[in-house]
Amino acid sequence: MPTHRGLRHLALRVTDLARSRAFYERFLAMKVVWEPDPDNVYFSSGSDNLALHQIAPAELAQYQPLRGQLLDHVGVIMDSPAHVDDLFRDVQQDGARYGATVAKPPKQHRDGSYSFYFTDPDGNVIQALYEPTISRMEFLPPA
């Protein structure tokens, strides 16, 4: 039995903190819990924690243009297939304004899960996933 409570913290280095902040607030409804300085912001969904760290201006050239990433994707668990579809339509409609793009359309998987993939402003891939065995777990709203 694991002694941890899950992979519930993610820290990302970003090329434009304001743009990434707007994206995560808009599409994943993340709430700011701490902003220690202009280059760092910490969010919570109530059950998860996300940190965004601005890449220093002197280092930005190393990150543009991106040629790929080692991280395949990050998943966000959705309450139902209908919520997956709602977010898909939302990203389709308003994503470009926030630097988001649809990477793969919604798909029903053999294991009963349902998902689609989209990217954040820096190209990190996010899977919006309804997964029957964990989507039924109770999540607490942000405090």
Side-chain angles (χ1 to χ4, degrees), residues 54-69:
Q54 175 64 54
I55 297 169
E59 297 176 37
L60 275 175
Q62 298 174 48
Y63 292 88
Q64 296 175 350
L66 295 174
R67 295 182 184 179
Q69 64 185 41

Side-chain angles (χ1 to χ4, degrees), residues 69-133:
Q69 64 185 41
L70 295 173
L71 175 69
D72 185 73
H73 69 274
V74 174
V76 292
I77 302 302
M78 307 298 286
D79 289 335
S80 69
H83 284 112
V84 172
D85 287 337
D86 290 345
L87 182 56
F88 173 71
R89 284 189 295 273
D90 199 19
V91 172
Q92 273 191 313
Q93 178 181 328
D94 214 17
R97 186 171 144 208
Y98 292 86
T101 59
V102 171
K104 294 181 184 176
K107 176 183 177 182
Q108 182 71 51
H109 304 281
R110 291 180 295 183
D111 65 355
S113 63
Y114 181 71
S115 71
F116 86 98
Y117 294 81
F118 62 113
T119 64
D120 77 359
D122 287 303
N124 294 302
V125 178
I126 301 166
Q127 180 185 26
L129 171 68
Y130 167 75
E131 204 292 326
T133 61

